[in-house]
Amino acid sequence: MQISNKNRAIKFKRLFFLVSIAIAISTLLLFLTDLTLYGIAGVGVFSLWYLYFHVADYQFIEYSDDNERIVLRFYKAVSLGSKSYHSIEFPQNILQNAHFENSVFGKLSDITFIVRTKRGIAEYPSVSLSALIYEDRKRMQESLFKILQR
């Protein structure tokens, strides 16, 4: 099975930058017209806007469980600076558990892979699935639980 949220991640990125530019221009205009108090409020609005996207941690996700391997590629959809690409890849037979953690009424979701290694049990860092639609998260969860039941 293949799951990708490329188009949705691009929409989040565009939305973030367009609204950020609008907030920055309006805040600058408020400072230039000597409405300093409103300008400071604009800086506060931008801070909350940035904080929301930082907490939500929207990521581009590409998941595959074909060819007896689990592959999860991801990077932050909204980041200031260079992109940091990451990938998790391992054979399906070493998967010990896949832990899904939901918060904020299921809107924010993370996955953590737990695998068996020669030295024992290892845990990959959590990956945010917030940018995936609910149906894709459910499909991923069902696919991983089928692999675990083998």
Side-chain angles (χ1 to χ4, degrees), residues 101-119:
E101 184 179 333
N102 295 318
S103 59
V104 190
F105 307 108
K107 295 293 182 183
L108 303 180
S109 180
D110 291 345
I111 184 171
T112 305
F113 290 111
I114 301 169
V115 296
R116 283 185 314 272
T117 65
K118 293 177 183 176
R119 293 186 169 180

